[in-house]
Each structure stands twice: as structure tokens, then as C-alpha cells.
Amino acid sequence: MSKYLDIADEVKAALDAGQPVVALESTIISHGMPWPQNLETALAVEEVIRKKGVVPATIAILDGRLKAGLSKNELEILAQKGQTATKASRRDFPRLLAGRGLGATTVAGTMIVASMAGIKVFATGGIGGVHRGAETTWDVSADLQELARTNTAVVCAGAKSILDLEKTLEYLETLGVPVIGYGTSELPAFFTSNSGLYLEERADSPEEVAGMLYAKWAAGLQGGAIIANPIPAQYSMPKEVIDPAIVQAVGEAARTGIKGKALTPFLLARITELTGGDSLEANIALVKNNASVAADIAIAYARMAKEDV
Ligand code: PSU
Ligand code: MN
């Protein structure tokens, strides 16, 4: 085990006993949502998982330590620090570990720590991907490379159409990452349940997902998988509201030169503003829904792993 890793007692006990655990990311808390909804959501999402008898493990870097499982107090610190915490992806880890830094882990960062701790299933809102205009900017999220190399399954509502979803799927295909539609054959587009993009893989139950994950890793195939779970219908946003907000935010970023790791947080915050907070409500609802599905998958996976030893 990495000498940099601290696994919370409750998480360690569950893992040692082969009981289900779901990892959660922290960039969504610090950079993805405003205070105080970020803290409320982080706590509510953990509660959704606990209600299913599964242990949540929110992941972050505190004082240079990789943490799997945060206390309420630690969650509050991250939520209050907001964007002053470092948005921590793979390339940011060395500096944070060596310098005792505070890092909120992205999807990539969370996958790394979950995998070190032995947590197989991770729930979040949306993953990073290939940005619009990537043919000139080359802006492709490190989340995609991480999915190619690290054995963690990510339950998400697809990706926001701040990204180029078609290119994102192409890139994932190149990297050999399965994208499994959960009860759908289409890639969900985060705020809306459909993108018009067809998915090869589909599963209609937690057992079916767990079966694919188990087979992948038992066969020695490296890398993660995406379980793309559509936003519940009652929260799905009208395209005519969300699409113009995205176009406007992307245009503003291009005009003002916002790029690199600052781009995604800028777009998320600007879209929340432009939709008068409606998008935030949808965002919270879909994260809870993903946590619930992730808990079901973790239960099915833990059962499968126990039967097979
Ligand atoms: N997309 C969202 N919400 C988020 C993120 C993406 O809808 O909070 C965050 C996640 O932490 C993701 C990161 O891993 O942004 C991707 O950032 P970048 O595009 O800089 O790789
Ligand atoms: Mn980027």
C-alpha cells in the first residue's frame, strides 16, 4: 500500500470484509458547485449511499495525504476552500504530496486513489472529455487517459455538452474504454438524457454491469469503464434552455482566453449563472441518482467477488 495513502477506519473495515464501498470525487465539491450547495450535496450524496448499506469514501488530498474517506469536518473544509483548493489530476499529485498541499481530486485523481485503496466503483456527475475546438486547442481531459489505465468504474450522467461528445466517444473507443449505457443505448448528455449518440454497450441491471466489470478485470484487461446513467426524466432540462447557455459560456471562454485546467470550472460556474441556478438543481439530482446506481453496482460486484474466491 502506498505510504501516502490514509484509508478511513470505516472504509478500511468494509474493504477488509469484502463489503461494498463507493468512492466519490471532490473537485465537484470545490470547483463544480458553489457554496453552500456543494457541502449540502456532498453530505446528501454520502447519505444516499449509506441508506443502501454501502460505505461512501470521498477522496481528496489533505496536507499532502491521499485520503479515502473524509470526515464531515474535512468535507466542510474542502467545500469552503472552493476554488482555492488545487484541482488535482494525475499531473498535480507529486507537487501536492511533496508540498503537503490541499487537493480536490478530479475524476482522474479520484480513480487513482480509489484504485490504490481497492475501491472498484466511483460515482460522480460528469466526466471530462474532448473539448469543443480540440482540433486547434488539443484540450482533452486527463480523465480519458486515466480511464484507459486505472481499474475503477465511473458512474456518471455522461458528459456535459460543454464538450464535443462525439469526439469524446471516439477517443474512448481508441483507448479501449467501455461506455455502458445504463438502461439506455444512447450516451446521456448530463443535463439531458439523450445526445443522439449510439452506445455499443448497454446494461439494464446492476448485476449486468457488475458482470462486465468482473469479467474485464478477471481477464486482466487494464483500465476503467464508464457507466452512463441518464438524468431522471423529471430533472432533465429543455435543450432550448441549456444549449444556448453552453454556447454562450464556451464563446466567452474563447474570447477571454480562459483555457487549461481553469476552463471546465469556468464553464460549469458560468452555465449555473446563465440558467439562473436551474442547472445546479439538475446537477444535484443527477449526482444523487448516480450515487444510488453506483451503490447497487458495488453491492452486486462485492457479491460476485465473494462467490468467486
Ligand atoms: N464535468 C462536470 N462537473 C465537474 C467536472 C467535469 O460536469 O465537476 C470536473 C471533474 O472533476 C472532472 C474535471 O474530472 O472537471 C475535468 O476537468 P478537465 O476538463 O480540466 O480535465
Ligand atoms: Mn483540459
Side-chain angles (χ1 to χ4, degrees):
M1 178 158 1
S2 165
K3 70 172 193 171
Y4 293 97
L5 178 64
D6 293 333
I7 305 181
D9 291 344
E10 183 193 18
V11 175
K12 181 151 191 339
L15 290 170
D16 288 348
Q19 282 160 2
V21 175
V22 168
L24 297 164
E25 70 156 288
S26 44
T27 294
I28 193 176
I29 304 173
S30 60
H31 292 66
M33 287 183 192
W35 170 269
Q37 287 95 337
N38 58 353
L39 178 61
E40 286 159 23
T41 305
L43 295 170
V45 168
E46 290 208 348
E47 197 48 39
V48 167
I49 292 169
R50 280 186 204 284
K51 280 227 172 85
K52 299 223 160 176
V54 176
V55 175
T58 302
I59 286 175
I61 303 178
L62 300 182
D63 208 13
R65 304 289 304 169
L66 304 173
K67 296 279 182 190
L70 298 185
S71 67
K72 196 177 166 195
N73 189 37
E74 290 168 331
L75 281 172
E76 191 164 346
I77 291 171
L78 266 174
Q80 265 174 342
K81 290 272 177 190
Q83 303 215 8
T84 62
T86 297
K87 175 181 157 192
S89 190
R90 176 176 281 269
R91 64 111 189 246
D92 306 291
F93 274 38
R95 174 169 53 91
L96 291 166
L97 298 186
R100 296 177 172 263
L102 172 72
T105 49
T106 62
V107 167
T110 304
M111 289 178 73
I112 294 170
V113 180
S115 145
M116 277 181 189
I119 304 169
K120 300 291 184 191
V121 183
F122 156 29
T124 189
I127 55 163
V130 180
H131 277 269
R132 295 186 187 189
E135 60 276 21
T136 52
T137 64
W138 290 52
D139 191 348
V140 178
S141 175
D143 292 352
L144 302 186
Q145 288 289 338
E146 204 60 49
L147 280 155
R149 68 201 288 183
T150 300
N151 298 4
T152 312
V154 182
V155 182
C156 63
K160 283 201 176 83
S161 39
I162 56 173
L163 302 172
D164 185 324
L165 298 182
E166 201 162 5
K167 286 194 181 72
T168 301
L169 277 187
E170 289 293 346
Y171 201 96
L172 287 165
E173 182 190 355
T174 304
L175 295 173
V177 178
V179 182
I180 305 167
Y182 194 74
T184 180
S185 297
E186 237 183 275
L187 179 71
F190 199 89
F191 291 123
T192 52
S193 48
N194 36 18
S195 63
L197 298 169
Y198 174 76
L199 296 178
E200 290 283 334
E201 278 94 20
R202 171 186 177 130
D204 291 285
S205 68
E207 290 74 24
E208 228 180 305
V209 176
M212 288 192 224
L213 297 176
Y214 200 77
K216 171 167 175 144
W217 294 324
L221 296 165
Q222 287 294 317
I226 294 171
I227 294 91
N229 182 34
I231 184 170
Q234 71 269 33
Y235 295 104
S236 183
M237 292 187 69
K239 276 197 193 324
E240 61 275 15
V241 174
I242 196 69
D243 285 353
I246 289 171
V247 169
Q248 186 176 335
V250 169
E252 284 175 10
R255 276 194 303 280
T256 52
I258 293 167
K259 57 184 180 178
K261 73 192 291 185
L263 178 61
T264 297
F266 169 81
L267 295 174
L268 301 178
R270 196 66 188 111
I271 289 164
T272 302
E273 276 170 20
L274 290 169
T275 58
D278 284 2
S279 68
L280 183 59
E281 199 186 324
N283 202 342
I284 293 168
L286 68 83
V287 176
K288 288 186 190 163
N289 186 43
N290 293 342
S292 170
V293 166
D296 293 339
I297 294 169
I299 291 168
Y301 187 90
R303 196 174 297 140
M304 223 167 261
K306 256 189 190 151
E307 280 164 8
D308 213 43
V309 271

